[in-house]
């Protein structure tokens, strides 16, 4: 099973709800970067790469989307449906994000700064490195 998730505690009072993400507490690494993906057009498939070293946690803040995970041997689709669940994305997992609901905001916490050199954007190269 490739799916590894974290369940975040919902902190609520009579004002409404709140979720707190804390590096090295409920997020299993020091966080160096946060980015978010929104306005993805219907039918678009994002990602289509793996990372050599980067560790990430994906949280659907609003809406839903699906993430394909592929470790070079097996594949699994994970449907992210709520902002109290984080999907852990380890290095050397080919991933594709698709089926974004209208208005979906996908937030990503990463353990390093942006580095294009960490990306493997060719699937055959990824498969070869998995062997
Ligand atoms: C990932 C999945 C889940 C930057 O300049 N800085 C950044 O921090 C990021 C994340 C991207 N960019 C640039 C690189 C491209 O020119 O923004 C543009 C779009 O990035 P990309 O096509 O890689 O976006 P996605 O949605 O395919 O992938 C993103 C992350 O890049 C990737 O690390 O794991 O989300």
């Amino acid at each position: 099973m490739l799916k590894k998730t974290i369940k975040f505690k919902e902190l609520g009072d009579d004002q409404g709800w709140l979720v707190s993400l804390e590096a090295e507490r409920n997020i299993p690494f020091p966080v160096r970067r946060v980015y978010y993906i929104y306005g993805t057009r219907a039918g678009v498939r994002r990602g289509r790469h793996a990372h050599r070293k980067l560790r990430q946690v994906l949280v659907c803040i609003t809406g839903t989307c699906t993430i394909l995970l592929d470790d070079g041997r097996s594949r699994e689709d994970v449907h992210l449906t709520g902002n109290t669940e984080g999907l852990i994305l380890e290095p050397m997992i080919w991933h594709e994000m698709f089926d974004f609901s209208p208005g979906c905001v996908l937030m990503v916490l990463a353990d390093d700064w942006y580095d294009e050199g960490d990306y493997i954007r060719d699937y055959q190269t990824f498969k070869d490195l998995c062997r």
Side-chain angles (χ1 to χ4, degrees):
M1 183 147 158
L2 298 174
K3 179 182 173 180
K4 285 201 263 174
T5 57
I6 315 167
K7 182 76 186 156
F8 303 126
K9 190 174 174 188
E10 277 186 291
L11 307 166
D13 55 22
D14 56 8
Q15 303 175 98
W17 299 103
L18 184 154
V19 170
S20 173
L21 307 181
E22 298 185 296
E24 297 179 273
R25 290 189 166 174
N26 59 355
I27 300 299
F29 47 73
V31 176
R32 272 201 169 148
R33 178 166 54 112
V34 177
Y35 60 93
Y36 40 91
I37 291 167
Y38 59 98
T40 304
R41 289 191 304 278
V44 167
R45 228 172 153 91
R46 306 187 64 129
R48 302 167 68 91
H49 60 255
H51 284 286
R52 294 171 194 274
K53 292 190 178 153
L54 191 71
R55 298 187 74 200
Q56 304 191 98
V57 170
L58 280 58
V59 185
C60 244
I61 294 296
T62 303
T64 63
C65 68
T66 303
I67 321 288
L68 163 77
L69 303 176
D70 176 342
D71 67 355
R73 290 181 299 278
S74 59
R75 302 187 133 208
E76 186 176 333
D77 281 349
V78 178
H79 198 43
L80 286 184
T81 57
N83 54 21
T84 58
E85 182 182 47
L87 175 66
I88 300 175
L89 193 51
E90 299 286 7
M92 292 306 288
I93 299 287
W94 184 269
H95 52 281
E96 302 181 6
M97 302 92 80
F98 57 101
D99 274 355
F100 286 83
S101 66
C104 176
V105 180
L106 179 63
M107 183 179 73
V108 183
L109 295 91
D111 75 347
D112 211 348
W113 299 301
Y114 175 71
D115 172 14
E116 185 58 37
D118 188 64
Y119 286 68
I120 304 165
R121 293 197 183 266
D122 175 67
Y123 187 71
Q124 193 53 53
T125 304
F126 166 72
K127 287 283 279 183
D128 292 346
L129 288 169
C130 287
R131 287 206 190 101

